[in-house]
Amino acid sequence: MTEQRFGIIDIGSNSVRLVVYERTASGANRVIDGSKRAARLSERVDENGALSETAVDELVDMVNHFRLICAHHKTGVIRAVATAAIRNSANRDRVLGRIEAETGLPIELISGEQEAGYGFLGMINTMPVRDGFLIDIGGGSTEVSLFKDRSLVQAVSFPFGCVSLTRQYVKNGMLSDQSLKELEEHVEQAVARHPWLMQASGQPLIGVGGTVRSLGKTHQAYVKYPFESTHNYPIAGNAASELFELLRKLPIGKRKNFPGLSKDRVDIILPGLAILRTIYRAIGASHYVICGAGLRDGLFFSTRFPDKPRLDNVVSYSVNNLAALHPEAPLQHTSQVNRIALQLAELLCPRLADAGSAKLYLDIASTLHRIGASIDYYDYKKHTFYLMINSRLNGLSHRELLICSLVASYKSRNRVKQTAVLYKPLLTEEDIALVSLLGVLLQLAIALDRSETQAIGRLDAEVSDGSLHLRAVRANGALAIERKEVDALGGDFKKLWGLSPVLYVPDLR
């Protein structure tokens, strides 16, 4: 398994991080370990711009610690990169030389443009966006990229970040009005030197990295958002500014207790958010979107898929990857259910307001409906719901993820209503109705292979006289189990779709 594991070490300006990825025997990719150590390298330079020997000693110790974790996991590839703090240090060659000599690991010193490129790759492989801006506010640098039609167009790396600007503008944990004005002017002047940044207004500003993730977590806590994930979480510009001003008024002692704000960002969050909103205004962005992926994910994709690191279809890759992580689910059965569900969707979903989205939700739900059995067959629907909403199903909004998870784990309309209460206001009455329609449709597809033998080789379906006529044109056996299951489901199906499902089998005499 050695060659199936990849270690990524990211030596950033604020922290040093490790992520260990594994490619499983079934072909799925997953994270199996991770670690983070605070470094604050941008704070630890002398008057000549050189990193102190003490900082380098600690850095060597951190990298060696992460190398030992990788060795424990028998990683075949360890990729270590260094970003702005070392890139900008006056003694970078000595720093890199010491790390490599004392850890045995080659360190890639990536440029600001490369850093932006890897961040873009991590984002674009996990989000359903075509056009926009991407920002990554690190400790010592800030990368901003413009992308169109899912391709990187232009990128710039600014030599300032949340740690370096904290040293320059924050006093006793507070960012005064005058200091904020000076910081904003500093950022605005840097942006103005790159006119292309102001020529694509009206696009979302997607953020990766710790500063933006902290914004997402604190905003969700502030508004009591009912879903835990910050990935693909949108925030309006005025909402972010309101939160920024609220945090700025708090003394650092009280800011520590602000819900959602991690302790290691209490002192650097204000300059980070000030950079973010200044660039937001300068480029005329439409809104913010938080991205949970970034540089390390981009490094993984470029290492794992060197010939074609950018995914063609984010949703499809993510769904198939999650299914492959749970190989206990009977593949032939789930494939049969998926095929029948999509066939029924072609016939019935045109009745719905958004047939295209409905088909996508049913496709995802029918592919994943059985993954909960990997935990326990009894109540596997409950486990399926939990696994889906807590797994990285990329390319879906939080609402869409909830809809797919509820369809996959559907038992009854009442059960859907009970669960939806926990996620107000994400789910509307219309969403509950849609989940019920698609859920019972999925249950019909499951019933048509209840024996899990794929006995129906070909199914014809048509609607007439208030019934859904299901004709097994090619079948093995009398389908006794399937017919009984379809009959048992008939009442619920008719309540929701207004149709009575009837299964006909070929005459086998």
Side-chain angles (χ1 to χ4, degrees), residues 95-412:
V95 173
L96 290 172
R98 272 202 61 192
I99 298 173
E100 293 184 5
E102 296 180 38
T103 67
L105 291 177
I107 309 296
E108 298 177 52
L109 182 64
I110 58 176
S111 67
E113 289 70 24
Q114 288 175 309
E115 190 173 351
Y118 287 126
F120 167 75
L121 182 59
M123 181 278 295
I124 207 66
N125 278 353
T126 58
M127 296 190 72
V129 290
R130 301 205 69 82
D131 308 297
F133 286 95
L134 177 67
I135 187 168
D136 183 357
I137 302 169
S141 69
T142 296
E143 285 71 44
V144 183
S145 311
L146 172 66
F147 62 95
K148 293 182 179 179
D149 197 26
R150 296 184 61 79
S151 294
L152 188 61
V153 175
Q154 207 157 355
V156 62
S157 180
F158 296 113
F160 52 75
C162 57
V163 176
S164 58
L165 293 194
T166 295
R167 294 182 67 193
Q168 193 170 348
Y169 294 104
V170 173
K171 299 292 184 288
N172 298 320
M174 303 299 289
L175 182 62
S176 67
D177 291 347
Q178 181 60 33
S179 293
L180 175 59
K181 181 181 177 182
E182 293 173 3
L183 185 156
E184 290 175 338
E185 288 175 351
H186 178 62
V187 174
E188 287 167 356
Q189 290 170 6
V191 171
R193 289 193 282 271
H194 302 273
W196 59 269
L197 285 167
M198 282 76 75
Q199 295 171 1
S201 61
Q203 301 293 339
L205 178 60
I206 299 170
V208 301
T211 294
V212 181
R213 284 195 300 271
S214 290
L215 170 64
K217 289 176 182 177
T218 52
H219 187 264
Q220 286 184 341
Y222 182 56
V223 301
K224 295 181 172 59
Y225 188 69
F227 200 77
E228 288 189 6
S229 174
T230 56
H231 183 64
N232 207 10
Y233 178 63
I235 303 178
N238 59 350
S241 290
E242 177 186 339
L243 183 59
F244 170 75
E245 291 298 346
L246 180 61
L247 290 169
R248 193 163 74 92
K249 291 174 184 175
L250 292 176
I252 192 165
K254 290 186 176 180
R255 201 183 309 143
K256 288 178 181 177
N257 300 319
F258 196 91
L261 183 59
S262 63
K263 300 295 185 287
D264 60 349
R265 288 205 169 263
V266 167
D267 58 333
I268 59 174
I269 189 64
L270 295 179
L273 293 181
I275 295 169
L276 180 67
R277 72 180 203 145
T278 302
I279 292 177
Y280 175 91
R281 291 196 301 257
I283 64 177
S286 58
H287 63 287
Y288 301 96
V289 183
I290 312 301
C291 177
L295 172 66
R296 290 175 297 281
D297 301 270
L299 288 165
F300 165 72
F301 282 114
S302 68
T303 305
R304 174 69 180 84
F305 307 108
D307 297 328
K308 192 179 180 182
R310 196 177 67 187
L311 302 176
D312 292 327
N313 188 313
V314 173
V315 175
S316 178
Y317 170 83
S318 186
V319 169
N320 291 333
N321 191 71
L322 181 56
L325 284 173
H326 299 278
E328 297 86 353
L331 179 59
Q332 290 180 320
H333 171 61
T334 54
S335 297
Q336 176 82 341
V337 169
N338 176 253
R339 180 181 67 81
I340 294 174
L342 293 181
Q343 181 183 351
L344 296 176
E346 287 294 330
L347 178 65
L348 298 178
C349 284
R351 299 173 172 219
L352 306 179
D354 187 351
S357 294
K359 291 175 188 175
L360 174 63
Y361 303 155
L362 189 60
D363 188 7
I364 294 169
S366 58
T367 300
L368 299 175
H369 78 277
R370 197 63 178 271
I371 62 173
S374 64
I375 296 177
D376 184 45
Y377 180 82
Y378 300 105
D379 278 338
Y380 76 79
K381 292 181 180 181
K382 176 179 69 176
H383 301 311
T384 290
F385 179 79
Y386 175 84
L387 287 172
M388 288 180 67
I389 65 167
N390 288 286
S391 297
R392 273 292 184 89
L393 266 179
N394 296 317
L396 300 173
S397 69
H398 293 175
R399 169 185 164 271
E400 289 174 325
L401 177 53
L402 279 168
I403 288 174
C404 292
S405 303
L406 286 167
V407 173
S409 58
Y410 182 81
K411 282 189 175 181
S412 69

Side-chain angles (χ1 to χ4, degrees), residues 9 24 40-41 60 74 85 106 123 128 162 173 206 255 263 272 302 334 347 442 471 478 488 496 502 505 507:
I9 299 174
T24 69
R40 297 289 177 93
L41 296 179
V60 167
K74 298 181 173 61
M123 181 278 295
C162 57
I206 299 170
R255 201 183 309 143
K263 300 295 185 287
S302 68
T334 54
L347 178 65
L442 173 58
R471 293 184 171 85
L496 292 163
V502 183
V505 298
D507 188 348

